[in-house]
Amino acid sequence: MEPELRIFTQPEIMADSLAEEFYRYVNHQFLTKNTLYIALSGGQTPLFFFKNLSDFDQQKKNKVDWKRIHFFWGDERCVPPSHDESNFGSAHNVLFSKINIPEGNIHRIEAENDPAGEVERYSQLMLQLVPSVGGVPVFDWIFLGVGEDGHTASIFPDQIEAITSTKLCKVTTHPETKQKRITLTGTVINMARRITFMATGTEKQEIVRQIINNEPAAKKIPAGRIIPKNGKIDWYLDSKAAELI
Ligand code: 6PG
């Protein structure tokens, strides 16, 4: 299925539109599903989006029954949740600390613990909570970012085997900082019913062009290997990131 592109003049407008889409889509899904399972991305790009979700909720501009959503993460840095690089920590500060959601619905990756042990724990947790097909959890929505090198979640080009791994989660290493990460594998990501990439800024335009234009180089990078098996995929971009498409 070809990716659907949504391009906006400014990152703030992209994030506002994605927050509107979140409310629309989630409430539409609730017509046929009691509970939704969503995995969030890390990094800086989604923070505007998360802030809009909490602002909309506080302004009562849109309503979501948060207790019907279970949140997971696509990846986490191997740091404590209080660390300023923690993906959970960022989302908690901007979103989860501001909305009325049961703590039991928030499933952070406890990446400050032994990484190999946490991979097992998180894999089992997903299998216990998220409806699965063939032993693979099927998320309703997975949000992703993309690095300038084409990584997504914490699957890096030099560890691209994590795209097709039979595992649900893996320990990876950031190629430059050597920081340990825990990431969902492409096996889980590609089973999601909906995958949404967010990318903004001039620094992403080259990698976005390779992926969206399906250039040969895209097959060598993890974000280019995110191809939903049965689901849909869309990209929320600002005009700078989309400039070369
Ligand atoms: C992470 C992310 C990673 C991120 C990209 C883009 O933990 O860093 O999950 O995949 O989405 O690196 O990051 P920015 O949004 O900060 O550009």
Side-chain angles (χ1 to χ4, degrees):
M1 173 184 278
E2 280 302 300
E4 187 182 320
L5 305 183
R6 300 291 311 280
I7 301 170
F8 304 87
T9 54
Q10 300 293 330
E12 297 80 1
I13 301 172
M14 180 276 276
D16 191 78
S17 178
L18 185 51
E20 293 280 2
E21 169 63 7
F22 180 91
Y23 279 95
R24 182 201 68 78
Y25 185 75
V26 158
N27 283 308
H28 178 70
Q29 294 295 310
F30 281 153
L31 296 176
T32 55
K33 289 186 171 187
N34 185 52
T35 307
L36 294 177
Y37 302 88
I38 297 176
L40 299 177
S41 57
Q44 297 303 304
T45 303
L47 297 182
F48 274 135
F49 165 54
F50 296 159
K51 177 144 183 3
N52 280 332
L53 290 182
S54 64
D55 288 353
F56 286 6
D57 186 75
Q58 287 170 353
Q59 296 155 9
K60 311 253 181 294
K61 182 177 169 187
N62 291 291
K63 283 315 286 173
V64 154
D65 186 352
W66 295 108
K67 64 179 179 301
R68 295 174 66 183
I69 304 179
H70 281 259
F71 284 99
F72 295 75
W73 272 261
D75 69 318
E76 186 56 276
R77 292 84 180 274
C78 289
V79 296
S82 57
H83 192 287
D84 61 8
E85 287 192 35
S86 165
N87 289 335
F88 161 79
S90 302
H92 180 265
N93 293 340
V94 176
L95 174 59
F96 293 116
S97 60
K98 314 267 193 227
I99 61 174
N100 181 23
I101 183 168
E103 270 190 37
N105 285 36
I106 300 171
H107 308 288
R108 72 178 184 90
I109 300 173
E110 297 171 4
E112 70 276 20
N113 299 330
D114 163 53
E118 179 57 14
V119 158
E120 287 313 308
R121 186 196 74 85
Y122 208 68
S123 298
Q124 287 311 312
L125 181 70
M126 287 192 291
L127 287 172
Q128 282 160 13
L129 292 179
V130 183
S132 303
V133 171
V136 181
V138 180
F139 281 91
D140 294 288
W141 205 348
I142 294 185
F143 290 90
L144 294 172
V146 59
E148 293 175 55
D149 63 351
H151 78 261
T152 192
S154 280
I155 305 174
F156 299 98
D158 64 346
Q159 299 153 75
I160 200 164
E161 68 280 358
I163 287 288
T164 53
S165 169
T166 55
K167 297 278 189 189
L168 305 180
C169 293
K170 283 196 76 133
V171 180
T172 58
T173 304
H174 191 288
E176 280 143 35
T177 66
K178 305 305 178 196
Q179 182 185 58
K180 289 283 181 215
R181 304 280 187 92
I182 292 174
T183 187
L184 296 190
T185 60
T187 302
V188 174
I189 296 170
N190 284 332
M191 280 293 275
R193 298 187 192 287
R194 182 174 183 179
I195 299 167
T196 296
F197 275 98
M198 281 178 261
T200 60
T202 308
E203 68 278 7
K204 303 290 175 79
Q205 59 185 221
E206 169 64 24
I207 207 74
V208 165
R209 191 206 73 231
Q210 288 180 28
I211 297 164
I212 298 297
N213 293 354
N214 206 18
E215 296 178 10
K219 289 293 163 269
K220 299 189 180 75
I221 56 175
R225 300 278 296 278
I226 298 301
I227 303 160
K229 289 213 175 317
N230 307 303
K232 66 177 277 193
I233 187 163
D234 49 13
W235 284 74
Y236 274 69
L237 300 159
D238 74 346
S239 48
K240 286 180 179 168
E243 195 170 323
L244 303 179
I245 294 174

